Amino acid sequence: MILLNPGPVNVSPRVTAALARGDLCHREPECAALLDRIRTRLVEAFAPTGGHTAVLVTGSGTAALEMAVTSVLSERGRLVVAANGVYGERMAAIAAAARLPHTVVAGPWTEPPDLARVEAALRASDVEALAVVHHETTTGLRNPVPELAALARRHGKLLLVDSVSGLAGDPLDVGACDLVVGTAGKCIQAFPGIAFLLVRDAVLERLVAYPPRSLYLSLATYVRHPMPFTPAVQLAYALDEALAELLEETVAGRIARYAAAAAALRAGFARLGLECVLPPAWRSNTITSLRLPPGRTYADLHDGLKARGFVIYEGQGWFAREAFRVANMGALTPADLARFLDALAEVLG
Ligand SMILES: *Cc1c(COP(=O)(O)O)cnc(C)c1O
């Protein structure tokens, strides 16, 4: 089955094989070495100029996101969340669940955040951090992180970036961010179940001194001890292998491969008369949102394609009525994409 959903993704046979490296007690030095190597490889891949530390957590991307959001504020702090999709809203929901003061700057899902409104929200004296989504998976919109980072810097606020669907898919200057959240199971091409934070060293000490809002997800717990609870050892094997593969391909190479895949798909969609929801300038390298053709339902398209070996993805929220998504993350070849476009042409009749 070819997965054209934004994670879990198709992984290489080499990554699948790594699951079977063998049984391992997580209290043995081999496991510590494995997790150390993963953290080193994450920094090598995404923050190669140094200054950031990787923190691993067993759980899906949302676990690491919850760790970041609940660890970024002092007892007196407030978080500003720029939300133009489901994942911005999710960070606000995490803050709400933890009873953390937060201000949501909500905007239309099909546009980047309004920088003037974000800046106005940052002016409140209790604000300590700005949270943004790098790649809004809801629509496939790449948010302007450099501009948002400049605003945060100008006002002396920390910048927290949800790059769960962005890292290794679209360029991100991690050096300009204080906390970046990522996951194994999307553009890194490993399995879901391990997620991580890249935290700026210069702020780490301050953050771990804040009161913990959670036991399992407290950043301080993981900084003091890299393995406080049982990690998903076999998934770590696969992540280790996927990172070796990524470093061989290089992050820039992976991003270029995804950009080429998206371009090939979008040219094919245009030939089939399908219309993209977003203008070209805002589109990420890994998700294309398309308007449902008149008279066709998502279920129609999905079931026809699944019968031919391809899984596409529904829209989220109100978006589901109007649009559907095709992702191109994972170990996909140009031939896979060409066969998908043929299958889509057949299903569209
Ligand atoms: C996938 C995703 C998440 C986390 O989802 P999980 O299902 O918890 O892995 C968070 N943010 C974005 C932008 C995502 O695409």
Side-chain angles (χ1 to χ4, degrees):
M1 197 60 78
I2 296 294
L3 300 182
L4 302 170
N5 51 287
V9 300
N10 291 111
V11 306
S12 71
R14 174 176 161 189
V15 169
T16 302
L19 289 171
R21 279 189 200 167
D23 300 337
L24 178 62
C25 168
H26 70 295
R27 294 297 173 207
E28 292 301 310
E30 291 86 347
C31 192
L34 169 69
L35 298 183
D36 266 358
R37 193 164 58 238
I38 290 172
R39 297 190 311 120
T40 303
R41 284 178 170 167
L42 284 170
V43 169
E44 207 183 321
F46 300 116
T49 54
H52 282 69
T53 294
V55 177
L56 299 174
V57 60
T58 290
S60 77
T62 305
L65 214 53
E66 191 140 19
M67 179 187 282
V69 169
T70 59
S71 302
V72 76
L73 298 179
S74 78
E75 272 160 302
R76 291 169 300 282
R78 168 178 296 271
L79 182 68
V80 171
V81 183
N84 57 341
V86 166
Y87 295 98
E89 289 171 9
R90 182 172 295 180
M91 287 196 284
I94 290 170
R99 311 282 191 275
L100 294 171
H102 61 286
T103 304
V104 183
V105 181
W109 284 10
T110 50
E111 290 172 24
D114 181 333
L115 295 177
R117 288 180 56 224
V118 173
E119 179 158 32
L122 290 180
R123 289 210 161 92
S125 61
D126 58 345
V127 170
E128 291 179 346
L130 169 64
V132 305
V133 179
H134 174 205
H135 170 213
E136 242 311 345
T137 316
T138 315
T139 53
L141 191 151
R142 181 166 59 204
N143 276 320
V145 176
E147 284 81 352
L148 292 157
L151 285 185
R153 201 163 46 239
R154 188 178 319 147
H155 292 271
K157 315 301 183 190
L158 297 180
L159 181 68
L160 188 172
V161 179
D162 169 354
S163 189
V164 171
S165 67
L167 284 177
D170 283 271
L172 180 71
D173 177 11
V174 171
C177 312
D178 297 294
L179 294 94
V180 174
V181 180
T183 194
K186 295 192 184 185
C187 305
I188 292 175
Q189 296 185 186
F191 295 101
I194 298 186
F196 60 88
L197 258 57
L198 296 163
V199 189
R200 188 192 297 287
D201 294 329
V203 303
L204 192 55
E205 212 170 305
R206 170 157 41 121
L207 300 191
V208 300
Y210 292 161
R213 276 103 179 179
S214 160
L215 176 83
Y216 191 81
L217 295 175
S218 158
L219 176 64
T221 310
Y222 290 79
V223 170
R224 290 192 194 111
H225 192 310
M227 218 179 354
F229 312 106
T230 312
V233 176
Q234 281 67 23
L235 297 179
Y237 284 148
L239 175 56
D240 182 42
E241 198 66 40
L243 287 168
E245 210 174 51
L246 174 62
L247 289 167
E248 286 165 26
E249 184 174 9
T250 74
V251 171
R254 171 81 46 99
I255 289 172
R257 174 162 65 82
Y258 283 173
L265 285 175
R266 288 164 192 168
F269 297 147
R271 284 195 301 275
L272 294 171
L274 291 168
E275 195 193 330
C276 289
V277 172
L278 297 175
W282 298 341
R283 293 177 202 156
S284 74
N285 290 332
T286 56
I287 293 184
T288 307
S289 283
L290 296 159
R291 298 203 180 281
L292 278 169
R296 304 305 293 262
T297 65
Y298 172 75
D300 248 11
L301 298 184
H302 171 271
D303 296 356
L305 286 164
K306 191 167 181 189
R308 290 165 175 79
F310 300 94
V311 173
I312 59 168
Y313 212 49
E314 198 170 17
Q316 274 163 306
W318 63 266
F319 210 54
R321 292 189 300 276
E322 299 180 16
F324 66 102
R325 292 173 287 177
V326 178
N328 55 273
M329 301 172 182
L332 304 171
T333 65
D336 295 328
L337 302 176
R339 284 193 301 111
F340 165 66
L341 287 170
D342 290 345
L344 182 59
E346 243 177 68
V347 170
L348 288 171

